[in-house]
Amino acid sequence: MSSQIHAGDVGTKLIVTVKDDGSVVDISSASSLSIFIKKPDGTILTRSGTLETDGTDGKMHYIVVSGDLDVAGVYKIQGKVVLSSGTFSTTTATFKVQCNL
């Protein structure tokens, strides 16, 4: 069984991978890493991303803090990086935040 994300969770790591035409983009030299989280009510949070490893795998993450996932529902996430060769955004993905008892 996969782990679930619940409303009010803190410390959950959200990971996004930057790809171009299906190939991973080396983001090790990125001047900016951003992660956007769209809440079920339409509010968009802009958070700073952190390289997951050395950046050659195209992965960055953000660790959720209090208030980020404050309501249950379907959230959207997208990453954006600024490189000397251009600005790249990830495909938008969705994840579900479960309610608590």
Side-chain angles (χ1 to χ4, degrees), residues 2-3 9 14 20 25 28-29 31-34 37 40-41 43 45 47-48 54 56 61 67 72 75 77 84 95 97:
S2 64
S3 61
D9 281 0
L14 304 175
D20 185 25
V25 175
S28 60
S29 64
S31 61
S32 175
L33 301 169
S34 300
I37 303 166
D41 68 1
T43 303
L45 307 175
R47 301 295 188 242
S48 295
D54 64 359
T56 58
H61 72 266
Y75 286 67
I77 187 169
S84 61
F95 62 96
V97 173

Side-chain angles (χ1 to χ4, degrees), residues 4-81:
Q4 295 181 346
I5 301 171
H6 288 87
D9 281 0
V10 173
T12 301
K13 184 188 283 188
L14 304 175
I15 302 172
V16 296
T17 304
V18 181
K19 294 183 178 181
D20 185 25
D21 259 349
S23 298
V24 170
V25 175
D26 180 348
I27 60 172
S28 60
S29 64
S31 61
S32 175
L33 301 169
S34 300
I35 294 180
F36 303 98
I37 303 166
K38 186 174 184 180
K39 294 182 173 193
D41 68 1
T43 303
I44 298 176
L45 307 175
T46 303
R47 301 295 188 242
S48 295
T50 302
L51 294 176
E52 179 66 6
T53 58
D54 64 359
T56 58
D57 59 0
K59 294 183 180 188
M60 63 175 162
H61 72 266
Y62 168 70
I63 298 177
V64 173
V65 298
S66 180
D68 287 344
L69 307 177
D70 54 351
V71 296
V74 177
Y75 286 67
K76 292 184 178 182
I77 187 169
Q78 184 176 36
K80 179 179 166 185
V81 296

